[in-house]
Amino acid sequence: MILVTGATGFLGSILVRRITDTNQQIIAIKRPSSKIPSFLEGNPLITWVDVDICDYFQVYDNLKNVKQVYHCAAKVSYDPNDSEEMHKVNVEGTENIVNVCLKYDIRLLHVSSIASLGKSKQALINESDVWEYDSRLSNYSVSKYYGEMEVWRGIEEGLNAVIVNPSIILGKDSGIEGSGQIFGLVNKGLGIYPTGSVGLVAVEDVTELMITLMNDDTIRSERYIINGENVTNKELVEKISVLMGKKMPKISANRWLLGVLWRLSMWSSKIFRHKPFITKDSARAAINKMAFSNKKITQLTAHKFKPIDQVLEEIVKHLKSTQSI
């Protein structure tokens, strides 16, 4: 039996659909408040279970007779008010998953993040780069690092596991939230572009490689960066603007300008009691110049990544067809 945590999330739901398309049964874990995506509703191969992964005994009770666990559940936020919850979900929740997988001898595929990787001394960040604590790191980055460390601790204790570190995952089913937020911002007339760069990957690539790695039991105690392409934020915003028929952003948002914006955003959020649209952590992330190597995973699998231009075209076409923009 296969179990997927975070099964209603963007990545988890696409993974569940892909696995059930091969006629395999799945136990899908979700929070009681989570909404099941419409494309998974009524699927007889899926058994939905409400589980708080931060509760060890709930995890323990639901992993019996499971042979494989895809751990996709995570809290992603750059809001400082979410730091405590992120630690509980990303670290303590992962600790519980690891401990129960150890007890039942379950193979684990853990979805970490590029946020848990170290900064490269070379042009591209790879799997051998060492993470070093820095007070300027986001709470999300720190939580994902310590969550991944729980998996490595489990591996030292005999856990059969493999880790993936995806870059920013894109796909039409993400909508305009999370990784799809940039499409909503451009649609509203985003006039600025941050000076940093990012790694991007199609959700189809991530799920395919996750399944490939999981089903090859000879691959253990390894981590793999899953990244399609590296682009500057300027290039990304310009590509989306063209596809949407919007004006190109003309203002380069440097450290100083973003510093002003996140302070205004935090001030506004406190007065009007809403989530800040930009925070200190997200501003720092926007100006980081990051680029990631996918050499290790491509040498192992010979996988051909979907071109990001094609991914962006599909997303914008879908958003227009559903009148999301």
Side-chain angles (χ1 to χ4, degrees):
M1 180 64 75
I2 301 169
L3 183 143
V4 177
T5 72
T8 59
F10 172 42
L11 175 62
S13 62
I14 302 300
L15 176 66
V16 168
R17 180 170 64 185
R18 193 178 191 112
I19 295 173
T20 56
D21 282 347
T22 62
N23 205 36
Q24 296 182 81
Q25 292 187 325
I26 279 186
I27 297 173
I29 282 181
K30 71 178 188 69
R31 294 171 298 173
S33 59
S34 296
K35 185 179 184 300
I36 298 172
S38 58
F39 58 82
L40 295 181
E41 287 182 334
N43 188 326
L45 294 172
I46 306 172
T47 300
W48 290 98
V49 183
D50 290 339
V51 173
D52 178 2
I53 64 169
C54 297
D55 185 325
Y56 174 82
F57 296 103
Q58 287 189 34
V59 175
Y60 180 88
D61 289 341
N62 284 280
L63 264 64
K64 295 176 181 177
N65 303 317
V66 169
K67 298 300 181 184
Q68 297 179 343
V69 169
Y70 291 90
H71 182 34
C72 303
K75 173 73 176 179
V76 182
S77 176
Y78 288 100
D79 187 338
N81 295 320
D82 293 332
S83 60
E84 184 176 344
E85 184 184 358
M86 268 197 301
H87 179 86
K88 284 189 68 66
V89 174
N90 298 348
V91 183
E92 295 177 23
T94 301
E95 178 186 7
N96 289 337
I97 295 290
V98 166
N99 289 340
V100 176
C101 285
L102 270 169
K103 183 170 184 63
Y104 288 135
D105 192 25
I106 300 169
R107 179 162 167 80
L108 172 66
L109 188 142
H110 173 66
V111 181
S112 185
S113 168
I114 53 170
S116 67
L117 298 170
K119 291 186 177 180
S120 178
K121 305 299 188 294
Q122 304 176 42
L124 298 176
I125 295 173
N126 62 43
E127 290 84 351
S128 64
D129 288 308
V130 178
W131 188 91
E132 296 176 356
Y133 179 76
D134 186 323
S135 60
R136 294 170 295 181
L137 288 169
S138 68
N139 289 315
Y140 173 66
S141 176
V142 173
S143 72
K144 289 302 288 184
Y145 170 75
Y146 283 112
E148 185 175 319
M149 286 303 101
E150 284 297 325
V151 181
W152 287 112
R153 184 265 305 169
I155 288 171
E156 288 297 312
E157 296 175 13
L159 178 67
N160 179 355
V162 62
I163 299 167
V164 293
N165 299 82
S167 54
I168 296 175
I169 305 172
L170 297 177
K172 61 183 180 63
D173 293 298
S174 67
I176 54 175
E177 300 295 330
S179 62
Q181 187 178 32
I182 183 64
F183 296 90
L185 292 173
V186 171
N187 185 57
K188 291 178 181 178
L190 185 65
I192 64 174
Y193 60 87
T195 55
S197 58
V198 293
L200 304 171
V201 66
V203 67
E204 297 93 338
D205 290 317
V206 180
T207 54
E208 180 180 335
L209 288 168
M210 286 170 66
I211 293 170
T212 298
L213 292 170
M214 173 65 92
N215 291 331
D216 188 342
D217 198 51
T218 65
I219 302 171
R220 301 186 180 200
S221 310
E222 295 284 354
R223 73 197 303 212
Y224 295 92
I225 292 172
I226 303 183
N227 179 53
E229 296 176 27
N230 300 300
V231 302
T232 66
N233 288 322
K234 182 176 186 291
E235 291 172 334
L236 177 60
V237 173
E238 287 179 347
K239 288 176 184 290
I240 297 172
S241 297
V242 170
L243 291 170
M244 287 186 169
K246 301 294 181 179
K247 289 183 178 180
M248 293 281 197
K250 297 181 178 180
I251 301 174
S252 172
N254 56 24
R255 187 184 302 274
W256 181 85
L257 178 57
L258 287 174
V260 172
L261 290 176
W262 77 254
R263 287 174 172 85
L264 288 174
S265 176
M266 295 301 289
W267 175 77
S268 172
S269 69
K270 290 178 181 178
I271 292 178
F272 298 106
R273 299 184 182 278
H274 61 73
K275 284 278 189 181
F277 71 90
I278 184 172
T279 67
K280 187 176 183 179
D281 281 352
S282 61
R284 282 175 172 167
I287 58 175
N288 283 338
K289 291 180 171 60
M290 309 291 280
F292 305 90
S293 170
N294 60 18
K295 184 177 180 180
K296 184 176 179 180
I297 191 68
T298 53
Q299 284 184 335
L300 176 72
T301 64
H303 180 81
K304 301 297 183 184
F305 284 89
K306 190 174 185 178
I308 291 302
D309 283 351
Q310 181 183 344
V311 177
L312 298 178
E313 288 176 11
E314 290 175 358
I315 293 172
V316 172
K317 182 179 180 180
H318 178 74
L319 291 174
K320 287 181 176 179
S321 70
T322 57
Q323 298 183 330
S324 298
I325 57 172

